[in-house]
Amino acid sequence: MNKSNIAAAPAAVKPRERDEAVNRPDNNWKPYPCLLTRRELQELVAEQLG
């Protein structure tokens, strides 16, 4: 179950410099709304799932 993503593996191995900060998301971060209605979202999902 612990399979790592091959594309992300090299980025995880790269060491950081001592003064380089780790980018962590802000606790209050929220995604921007997509401005679609619930019905439009349901139609998109139904279309993609078939």
Side-chain angles (χ1 to χ4, degrees):
M1 292 282 173
N2 290 338
K3 294 180 182 177
S4 64
N5 186 351
I6 294 171
V13 178
K14 180 184 171 193
R16 291 190 309 269
E17 298 295 326
R18 288 186 181 267
D19 60 345
E20 187 177 352
V22 177
N23 288 336
R24 292 194 174 111
D26 186 18
N27 289 340
N28 296 326
W29 180 86
K30 293 181 179 148
Y32 291 106
C34 66
L35 303 178
L36 293 175
T37 64
R38 182 180 293 269
R39 174 179 232 141
E40 290 170 331
L41 287 173
Q42 289 173 341
E43 290 173 1
L44 286 172
V45 171
E47 180 182 322
Q48 290 178 2
L49 293 178

mmCIF file with all atom_site columns, all heavy atoms in Angstrom, residues 26-46:
data_model
loop_
_atom_site.group_PDB
_atom_site.id
_atom_site.type_symbol
_atom_site.label_atom_id
_atom_site.label_alt_id
_atom_site.label_comp_id
_atom_site.label_asym_id
_atom_site.label_entity_id
_atom_site.label_seq_id
_atom_site.pdbx_PDB_ins_code
_atom_site.Cartn_x
_atom_site.Cartn_y
_atom_site.Cartn_z
_atom_site.occupancy
_atom_site.B_iso_or_equiv
_atom_site.pdbx_formal_charge
_atom_site.auth_seq_id
_atom_site.auth_comp_id
_atom_site.auth_asym_id
_atom_site.auth_atom_id
_atom_site.pdbx_PDB_model_num
ATOM 1   N N   . ASP A 1 26 ? -1.306  27.583 4.601   1.00 0.00 ? 26 ASP A N   1
ATOM 2   C CA  . ASP A 1 26 ? -1.869  28.320 5.725   1.00 0.00 ? 26 ASP A CA  1
ATOM 3   C C   . ASP A 1 26 ? -3.062  27.550 6.287   1.00 0.00 ? 26 ASP A C   1
ATOM 4   O O   . ASP A 1 26 ? -3.814  26.923 5.551   1.00 0.00 ? 26 ASP A O   1
ATOM 5   C CB  . ASP A 1 26 ? -2.309  29.710 5.243   1.00 0.00 ? 26 ASP A CB  1
ATOM 6   C CG  . ASP A 1 26 ? -2.780  30.600 6.367   1.00 0.00 ? 26 ASP A CG  1
ATOM 7   O OD1 . ASP A 1 26 ? -2.474  30.305 7.545   1.00 0.00 ? 26 ASP A OD1 1
ATOM 8   O OD2 . ASP A 1 26 ? -3.460  31.606 6.076   1.00 0.00 ? 26 ASP A OD2 1
ATOM 9   N N   . ASN A 1 27 ? -3.260  27.586 7.587   1.00 0.00 ? 27 ASN A N   1
ATOM 10  C CA  . ASN A 1 27 ? -4.384  26.874 8.198   1.00 0.00 ? 27 ASN A CA  1
ATOM 11  C C   . ASN A 1 27 ? -5.727  27.414 7.729   1.00 0.00 ? 27 ASN A C   1
ATOM 12  O O   . ASN A 1 27 ? -6.716  26.689 7.734   1.00 0.00 ? 27 ASN A O   1
ATOM 13  C CB  . ASN A 1 27 ? -4.303  26.966 9.720   1.00 0.00 ? 27 ASN A CB  1
ATOM 14  C CG  . ASN A 1 27 ? -3.166  26.139 10.270  1.00 0.00 ? 27 ASN A CG  1
ATOM 15  O OD1 . ASN A 1 27 ? -2.676  25.227 9.608   1.00 0.00 ? 27 ASN A OD1 1
ATOM 16  N ND2 . ASN A 1 27 ? -2.735  26.453 11.474  1.00 0.00 ? 27 ASN A ND2 1
ATOM 17  N N   . ASN A 1 28 ? -5.784  28.666 7.333   1.00 0.00 ? 28 ASN A N   1
ATOM 18  C CA  . ASN A 1 28 ? -7.033  29.280 6.888   1.00 0.00 ? 28 ASN A CA  1
ATOM 19  C C   . ASN A 1 28 ? -7.207  29.241 5.373   1.00 0.00 ? 28 ASN A C   1
ATOM 20  O O   . ASN A 1 28 ? -8.085  29.896 4.845   1.00 0.00 ? 28 ASN A O   1
ATOM 21  C CB  . ASN A 1 28 ? -7.107  30.735 7.368   1.00 0.00 ? 28 ASN A CB  1
ATOM 22  C CG  . ASN A 1 28 ? -7.159  30.812 8.873   1.00 0.00 ? 28 ASN A CG  1
ATOM 23  O OD1 . ASN A 1 28 ? -7.742  29.954 9.533   1.00 0.00 ? 28 ASN A OD1 1
ATOM 24  N ND2 . ASN A 1 28 ? -6.532  31.829 9.425   1.00 0.00 ? 28 ASN A ND2 1
ATOM 25  N N   . TRP A 1 29 ? -6.356  28.486 4.674   1.00 0.00 ? 29 TRP A N   1
ATOM 26  C CA  . TRP A 1 29 ? -6.420  28.420 3.215   1.00 0.00 ? 29 TRP A CA  1
ATOM 27  C C   . TRP A 1 29 ? -7.718  27.768 2.778   1.00 0.00 ? 29 TRP A C   1
ATOM 28  O O   . TRP A 1 29 ? -8.146  26.756 3.308   1.00 0.00 ? 29 TRP A O   1
ATOM 29  C CB  . TRP A 1 29 ? -5.243  27.622 2.674   1.00 0.00 ? 29 TRP A CB  1
ATOM 30  C CG  . TRP A 1 29 ? -5.265  27.527 1.186   1.00 0.00 ? 29 TRP A CG  1
ATOM 31  C CD1 . TRP A 1 29 ? -4.749  28.420 0.302   1.00 0.00 ? 29 TRP A CD1 1
ATOM 32  C CD2 . TRP A 1 29 ? -5.834  26.483 0.393   1.00 0.00 ? 29 TRP A CD2 1
ATOM 33  N NE1 . TRP A 1 29 ? -4.968  28.006 -0.979  1.00 0.00 ? 29 TRP A NE1 1
ATOM 34  C CE2 . TRP A 1 29 ? -5.631  26.824 -0.951  1.00 0.00 ? 29 TRP A CE2 1
ATOM 35  C CE3 . TRP A 1 29 ? -6.506  25.325 0.703   1.00 0.00 ? 29 TRP A CE3 1
ATOM 36  C CZ2 . TRP A 1 29 ? -6.067  26.019 -1.987  1.00 0.00 ? 29 TRP A CZ2 1
ATOM 37  C CZ3 . TRP A 1 29 ? -6.953  24.528 -0.339  1.00 0.00 ? 29 TRP A CZ3 1
ATOM 38  C CH2 . TRP A 1 29 ? -6.723  24.880 -1.665  1.00 0.00 ? 29 TRP A CH2 1
ATOM 39  N N   . LYS A 1 30 ? -8.367  28.368 1.781   1.00 0.00 ? 30 LYS A N   1
ATOM 40  C CA  . LYS A 1 30 ? -9.578  27.806 1.188   1.00 0.00 ? 30 LYS A CA  1
ATOM 41  C C   . LYS A 1 30 ? -9.476  27.947 -0.319  1.00 0.00 ? 30 LYS A C   1
ATOM 42  O O   . LYS A 1 30 ? -8.970  28.945 -0.823  1.00 0.00 ? 30 LYS A O   1
ATOM 43  C CB  . LYS A 1 30 ? -10.818 28.532 1.700   1.00 0.00 ? 30 LYS A CB  1
ATOM 44  C CG  . LYS A 1 30 ? -11.061 28.294 3.164   1.00 0.00 ? 30 LYS A CG  1
ATOM 45  C CD  . LYS A 1 30 ? -12.310 28.990 3.644   1.00 0.00 ? 30 LYS A CD  1
ATOM 46  C CE  . LYS A 1 30 ? -12.477 28.659 5.114   1.00 0.00 ? 30 LYS A CE  1
ATOM 47  N NZ  . LYS A 1 30 ? -13.089 29.706 5.877   1.00 0.00 ? 30 LYS A NZ  1
ATOM 48  N N   . PRO A 1 31 ? -9.957  26.954 -1.066  1.00 0.00 ? 31 PRO A N   1
ATOM 49  C CA  . PRO A 1 31 ? -9.905  27.055 -2.532  1.00 0.00 ? 31 PRO A CA  1
ATOM 50  C C   . PRO A 1 31 ? -10.860 28.124 -3.036  1.00 0.00 ? 31 PRO A C   1
ATOM 51  O O   . PRO A 1 31 ? -11.850 28.456 -2.387  1.00 0.00 ? 31 PRO A O   1
ATOM 52  C CB  . PRO A 1 31 ? -10.333 25.667 -2.997  1.00 0.00 ? 31 PRO A CB  1
ATOM 53  C CG  . PRO A 1 31 ? -11.152 25.135 -1.874  1.00 0.00 ? 31 PRO A CG  1
ATOM 54  C CD  . PRO A 1 31 ? -10.572 25.718 -0.605  1.00 0.00 ? 31 PRO A CD  1
ATOM 55  N N   . TYR A 1 32 ? -10.553 28.656 -4.211  1.00 0.00 ? 32 TYR A N   1
ATOM 56  C CA  . TYR A 1 32 ? -11.451 29.625 -4.828  1.00 0.00 ? 32 TYR A CA  1
ATOM 57  C C   . TYR A 1 32 ? -12.704 28.901 -5.320  1.00 0.00 ? 32 TYR A C   1
ATOM 58  O O   . TYR A 1 32 ? -12.621 27.788 -5.820  1.00 0.00 ? 32 TYR A O   1
ATOM 59  C CB  . TYR A 1 32 ? -10.766 30.311 -6.013  1.00 0.00 ? 32 TYR A CB  1
ATOM 60  C CG  . TYR A 1 32 ? -9.659  31.229 -5.603  1.00 0.00 ? 32 TYR A CG  1
ATOM 61  C CD1 . TYR A 1 32 ? -8.333  30.870 -5.786  1.00 0.00 ? 32 TYR A CD1 1
ATOM 62  C CD2 . TYR A 1 32 ? -9.933  32.462 -5.018  1.00 0.00 ? 32 TYR A CD2 1
ATOM 63  C CE1 . TYR A 1 32 ? -7.309  31.713 -5.399  1.00 0.00 ? 32 TYR A CE1 1
ATOM 64  C CE2 . TYR A 1 32 ? -8.916  33.306 -4.635  1.00 0.00 ? 32 TYR A CE2 1
ATOM 65  C CZ  . TYR A 1 32 ? -7.605  32.931 -4.828  1.00 0.00 ? 32 TYR A CZ  1
ATOM 66  O OH  . TYR A 1 32 ? -6.601  33.768 -4.438  1.00 0.00 ? 32 TYR A OH  1
ATOM 67  N N   . PRO A 1 33 ? -13.871 29.508 -5.200  1.00 0.00 ? 33 PRO A N   1
ATOM 68  C CA  . PRO A 1 33 ? -15.092 28.853 -5.684  1.00 0.00 ? 33 PRO A CA  1
ATOM 69  C C   . PRO A 1 33 ? -15.088 28.772 -7.212  1.00 0.00 ? 33 PRO A C   1
ATOM 70  O O   . PRO A 1 33 ? -14.532 29.627 -7.896  1.00 0.00 ? 33 PRO A O   1
ATOM 71  C CB  . PRO A 1 33 ? -16.207 29.768 -5.184  1.00 0.00 ? 33 PRO A CB  1
ATOM 72  C CG  . PRO A 1 33 ? -15.569 31.094 -4.980  1.00 0.00 ? 33 PRO A CG  1
ATOM 73  C CD  . PRO A 1 33 ? -14.138 30.818 -4.614  1.00 0.00 ? 33 PRO A CD  1
ATOM 74  N N   . CYS A 1 34 ? -15.704 27.737 -7.746  1.00 0.00 ? 34 CYS A N   1
ATOM 75  C CA  . CYS A 1 34 ? -15.706 27.560 -9.201  1.00 0.00 ? 34 CYS A CA  1
ATOM 76  C C   . CYS A 1 34 ? -16.877 28.289 -9.866  1.00 0.00 ? 34 CYS A C   1
ATOM 77  O O   . CYS A 1 34 ? -16.942 28.346 -11.078 1.00 0.00 ? 34 CYS A O   1
ATOM 78  C CB  . CYS A 1 34 ? -15.740 26.073 -9.552  1.00 0.00 ? 34 CYS A CB  1
ATOM 79  S SG  . CYS A 1 34 ? -17.260 25.258 -9.063  1.00 0.00 ? 34 CYS A SG  1
ATOM 80  N N   . LEU A 1 35 ? -17.803 28.815 -9.073  1.00 0.00 ? 35 LEU A N   1
ATOM 81  C CA  . LEU A 1 35 ? -18.939 29.603 -9.566  1.00 0.00 ? 35 LEU A CA  1
ATOM 82  C C   . LEU A 1 35 ? -19.915 28.796 -10.411 1.00 0.00 ? 35 LEU A C   1
ATOM 83  O O   . LEU A 1 35 ? -20.665 29.350 -11.202 1.00 0.00 ? 35 LEU A O   1
ATOM 84  C CB  . LEU A 1 35 ? -18.460 30.840 -10.335 1.00 0.00 ? 35 LEU A CB  1
ATOM 85  C CG  . LEU A 1 35 ? -17.554 31.788 -9.555  1.00 0.00 ? 35 LEU A CG  1
ATOM 86  C CD1 . LEU A 1 35 ? -17.114 32.946 -10.429 1.00 0.00 ? 35 LEU A CD1 1
ATOM 87  C CD2 . LEU A 1 35 ? -18.253 32.300 -8.302  1.00 0.00 ? 35 LEU A CD2 1
ATOM 88  N N   . LEU A 1 36 ? -19.922 27.465 -10.250 1.00 0.00 ? 36 LEU A N   1
ATOM 89  C CA  . LEU A 1 36 ? -20.917 26.633 -10.909 1.00 0.00 ? 36 LEU A CA  1
ATOM 90  C C   . LEU A 1 36 ? -21.991 26.277 -9.893  1.00 0.00 ? 36 LEU A C   1
ATOM 91  O O   . LEU A 1 36 ? -21.727 26.163 -8.704  1.00 0.00 ? 36 LEU A O   1
ATOM 92  C CB  . LEU A 1 36 ? -20.287 25.342 -11.432 1.00 0.00 ? 36 LEU A CB  1
ATOM 93  C CG  . LEU A 1 36 ? -19.277 25.483 -12.570 1.00 0.00 ? 36 LEU A CG  1
ATOM 94  C CD1 . LEU A 1 36 ? -18.665 24.137 -12.888 1.00 0.00 ? 36 LEU A CD1 1
ATOM 95  C CD2 . LEU A 1 36 ? -19.919 26.081 -13.792 1.00 0.00 ? 36 LEU A CD2 1
ATOM 96  N N   . THR A 1 37 ? -23.208 26.101 -10.394 1.00 0.00 ? 37 THR A N   1
ATOM 97  C CA  . THR A 1 37 ? -24.288 25.692 -9.498  1.00 0.00 ? 37 THR A CA  1
ATOM 98  C C   . THR A 1 37 ? -24.147 24.206 -9.188  1.00 0.00 ? 37 THR A C   1
ATOM 99  O O   . THR A 1 37 ? -23.440 23.463 -9.882  1.00 0.00 ? 37 THR A O   1
ATOM 100 C CB  . THR A 1 37 ? -25.663 25.953 -10.140 1.00 0.00 ? 37 THR A CB  1
ATOM 101 O OG1 . THR A 1 37 ? -25.775 25.133 -11.305 1.00 0.00 ? 37 THR A OG1 1
ATOM 102 C CG2 . THR A 1 37 ? -25.838 27.421 -10.502 1.00 0.00 ? 37 THR A CG2 1
ATOM 103 N N   . ARG A 1 38 ? -24.845 23.760 -8.164  1.00 0.00 ? 38 ARG A N   1
ATOM 104 C CA  . ARG A 1 38 ? -24.830 22.342 -7.806  1.00 0.00 ? 38 ARG A CA  1
ATOM 105 C C   . ARG A 1 38 ? -25.320 21.481 -8.977  1.00 0.00 ? 38 ARG A C   1
ATOM 106 O O   . ARG A 1 38 ? -24.757 20.434 -9.274  1.00 0.00 ? 38 ARG A O   1
ATOM 107 C CB  . ARG A 1 38 ? -25.708 22.115 -6.585  1.00 0.00 ? 38 ARG A CB  1
ATOM 108 C CG  . ARG A 1 38 ? -25.719 20.687 -6.101  1.00 0.00 ? 38 ARG A CG  1
ATOM 109 C CD  . ARG A 1 38 ? -26.609 20.541 -4.885  1.00 0.00 ? 38 ARG A CD  1
ATOM 110 N NE  . ARG A 1 38 ? -26.092 21.236 -3.734  1.00 0.00 ? 38 ARG A NE  1
ATOM 111 C CZ  . ARG A 1 38 ? -25.287 20.689 -2.825  1.00 0.00 ? 38 ARG A CZ  1
ATOM 112 N NH1 . ARG A 1 38 ? -24.919 19.440 -2.960  1.00 0.00 ? 38 ARG A NH1 1
ATOM 113 N NH2 . ARG A 1 38 ? -24.872 21.381 -1.802  1.00 0.00 ? 38 ARG A NH2 1
ATOM 114 N N   . ARG A 1 39 ? -26.352 21.961 -9.662  1.00 0.00 ? 39 ARG A N   1
ATOM 115 C CA  . ARG A 1 39 ? -26.895 21.213 -10.811 1.00 0.00 ? 39 ARG A CA  1
ATOM 116 C C   . ARG A 1 39 ? -25.845 21.095 -11.928 1.00 0.00 ? 39 ARG A C   1
ATOM 117 O O   . ARG A 1 39 ? -25.690 20.032 -12.534 1.00 0.00 ? 39 ARG A O   1
ATOM 118 C CB  . ARG A 1 39 ? -28.159 21.893 -11.320 1.00 0.00 ? 39 ARG A CB  1
ATOM 119 C CG  . ARG A 1 39 ? -28.693 21.258 -12.584 1.00 0.00 ? 39 ARG A CG  1
ATOM 120 C CD  . ARG A 1 39 ? -29.964 21.940 -13.063 1.00 0.00 ? 39 ARG A CD  1
ATOM 121 N NE  . ARG A 1 39 ? -30.922 20.880 -13.236 1.00 0.00 ? 39 ARG A NE  1
ATOM 122 C CZ  . ARG A 1 39 ? -32.186 20.941 -12.937 1.00 0.00 ? 39 ARG A CZ  1
ATOM 123 N NH1 . ARG A 1 39 ? -32.688 22.037 -12.455 1.00 0.00 ? 39 ARG A NH1 1
ATOM 124 N NH2 . ARG A 1 39 ? -32.979 19.922 -13.126 1.00 0.00 ? 39 ARG A NH2 1
ATOM 125 N N   . GLU A 1 40 ? -25.142 22.190 -12.221 1.00 0.00 ? 40 GLU A N   1
ATOM 126 C CA  . GLU A 1 40 ? -24.111 22.156 -13.270 1.00 0.00 ? 40 GLU A CA  1
ATOM 127 C C   . GLU A 1 40 ? -22.985 21.195 -12.893 1.00 0.00 ? 40 GLU A C   1
ATOM 128 O O   . GLU A 1 40 ? -22.494 20.448 -13.741 1.00 0.00 ? 40 GLU A O   1
ATOM 129 C CB  . GLU A 1 40 ? -23.549 23.562 -13.498 1.00 0.00 ? 40 GLU A CB  1
ATOM 130 C CG  . GLU A 1 40 ? -24.531 24.513 -14.154 1.00 0.00 ? 40 GLU A CG  1
ATOM 131 C CD  . GLU A 1 40 ? -24.057 25.952 -14.159 1.00 0.00 ? 40 GLU A CD  1
ATOM 132 O OE1 . GLU A 1 40 ? -23.301 26.341 -13.240 1.00 0.00 ? 40 GLU A OE1 1
ATOM 133 O OE2 . GLU A 1 40 ? -24.439 26.691 -15.078 1.00 0.00 ? 40 GLU A OE2 1
ATOM 134 N N   . LEU A 1 41 ? -22.598 21.192 -11.622 1.00 0.00 ? 41 LEU A N   1
ATOM 135 C CA  . LEU A 1 41 ? -21.564 20.268 -11.173 1.00 0.00 ? 41 LEU A CA  1
ATOM 136 C C   . LEU A 1 41 ? -22.029 18.824 -11.304 1.00 0.00 ? 41 LEU A C   1
ATOM 137 O O   . LEU A 1 41 ? -21.275 17.955 -11.761 1.00 0.00 ? 41 LEU A O   1
ATOM 138 C CB  . LEU A 1 41 ? -21.168 20.566 -9.716  1.00 0.00 ? 41 LEU A CB  1
ATOM 139 C CG  . LEU A 1 41 ? -20.338 21.820 -9.499  1.00 0.00 ? 41 LEU A CG  1
ATOM 140 C CD1 . LEU A 1 41 ? -20.175 22.089 -8.022  1.00 0.00 ? 41 LEU A CD1 1
ATOM 141 C CD2 . LEU A 1 41 ? -18.988 21.669 -10.151 1.00 0.00 ? 41 LEU A CD2 1
ATOM 142 N N   . GLN A 1 42 ? -23.268 18.559 -10.905 1.00 0.00 ? 42 GLN A N   1
ATOM 143 C CA  . GLN A 1 42 ? -23.804 17.204 -11.025 1.00 0.00 ? 42 GLN A CA  1
ATOM 144 C C   . GLN A 1 42 ? -23.850 16.751 -12.474 1.00 0.00 ? 42 GLN A C   1
ATOM 145 O O   . GLN A 1 42 ? -23.558 15.582 -12.788 1.00 0.00 ? 42 GLN A O   1
ATOM 146 C CB  . GLN A 1 42 ? -25.193 17.125 -10.398 1.00 0.00 ? 42 GLN A CB  1
ATOM 147 C CG  . GLN A 1 42 ? -25.166 17.224 -8.892  1.00 0.00 ? 42 GLN A CG  1
ATOM 148 C CD  . GLN A 1 42 ? -26.551 17.325 -8.279  1.00 0.00 ? 42 GLN A CD  1
ATOM 149 O OE1 . GLN A 1 42 ? -27.521 17.669 -8.947  1.00 0.00 ? 42 GLN A OE1 1
ATOM 150 N NE2 . GLN A 1 42 ? -26.639 17.027 -6.981  1.00 0.00 ? 42 GLN A NE2 1
ATOM 151 N N   . GLU A 1 43 ? -24.207 17.647 -13.390 1.00 0.00 ? 43 GLU A N   1
ATOM 152 C CA  . GLU A 1 43 ? -24.237 17.304 -14.816 1.00 0.00 ? 43 GLU A CA  1
ATOM 153 C C   . GLU A 1 43 ? -22.844 16.999 -15.343 1.00 0.00 ? 43 GLU A C   1
ATOM 154 O O   . GLU A 1 43 ? -22.659 16.067 -16.118 1.00 0.00 ? 43 GLU A O   1
ATOM 155 C CB  . GLU A 1 43 ? -24.874 18.440 -15.618 1.00 0.00 ? 43 GLU A CB  1
ATOM 156 C CG  . GLU A 1 43 ? -26.360 18.595 -15.392 1.00 0.00 ? 43 GLU A CG  1
ATOM 157 C CD  . GLU A 1 43 ? -26.942 19.835 -16.061 1.00 0.00 ? 43 GLU A CD  1
ATOM 158 O OE1 . GLU A 1 43 ? -26.183 20.585 -16.728 1.00 0.00 ? 43 GLU A OE1 1
ATOM 159 O OE2 . GLU A 1 43 ? -28.154 20.047 -15.921 1.00 0.00 ? 43 GLU A OE2 1
ATOM 160 N N   . LEU A 1 44 ? -21.860 17.777 -14.910 1.00 0.00 ? 44 LEU A N   1
ATOM 161 C CA  . LEU A 1 44 ? -20.481 17.528 -15.336 1.00 0.00 ? 44 LEU A CA  1
ATOM 162 C C   . LEU A 1 44 ? -19.979 16.172 -14.841 1.00 0.00 ? 44 LEU A C   1
ATOM 163 O O   . LEU A 1 44 ? -19.369 15.412 -15.585 1.00 0.00 ? 44 LEU A O   1
ATOM 164 C CB  . LEU A 1 44 ? -19.557 18.631 -14.847 1.00 0.00 ? 44 LEU A CB  1
ATOM 165 C CG  . LEU A 1 44 ? -19.644 19.974 -15.554 1.00 0.00 ? 44 LEU A CG  1
ATOM 166 C CD1 . LEU A 1 44 ? -18.811 21.013 -14.818 1.00 0.00 ? 44 LEU A CD1 1
ATOM 167 C CD2 . LEU A 1 44 ? -19.167 19.841 -16.985 1.00 0.00 ? 44 LEU A CD2 1
ATOM 168 N N   . VAL A 1 45 ? -20.249 15.870 -13.591 1.00 0.00 ? 45 VAL A N   1
ATOM 169 C CA  . VAL A 1 45 ? -19.812 14.591 -13.025 1.00 0.00 ? 45 VAL A CA  1
ATOM 170 C C   . VAL A 1 45 ? -20.525 13.432 -13.719 1.00 0.00 ? 45 VAL A C   1
ATOM 171 O O   . VAL A 1 45 ? -19.899 12.438 -14.079 1.00 0.00 ? 45 VAL A O   1
ATOM 172 C CB  . VAL A 1 45 ? -20.064 14.568 -11.498 1.00 0.00 ? 45 VAL A CB  1
ATOM 173 C CG1 . VAL A 1 45 ? -19.833 13.172 -10.933 1.00 0.00 ? 45 VAL A CG1 1
ATOM 174 C CG2 . VAL A 1 45 ? -19.179 15.569 -10.806 1.00 0.00 ? 45 VAL A CG2 1
ATOM 175 N N   . ALA A 1 46 ? -21.824 13.579 -13.946 1.00 0.00 ? 46 ALA A N   1
ATOM 176 C CA  . ALA A 1 46 ? -22.568 12.522 -14.634 1.00 0.00 ? 46 ALA A CA  1
ATOM 177 C C   . ALA A 1 46 ? -22.045 12.307 -16.046 1.00 0.00 ? 46 ALA A C   1
ATOM 178 O O   . ALA A 1 46 ? -21.943 11.177 -16.525 1.00 0.00 ? 46 ALA A O   1
ATOM 179 C CB  . ALA A 1 46 ? -24.056 12.886 -14.665 1.00 0.00 ? 46 ALA A CB  1
#
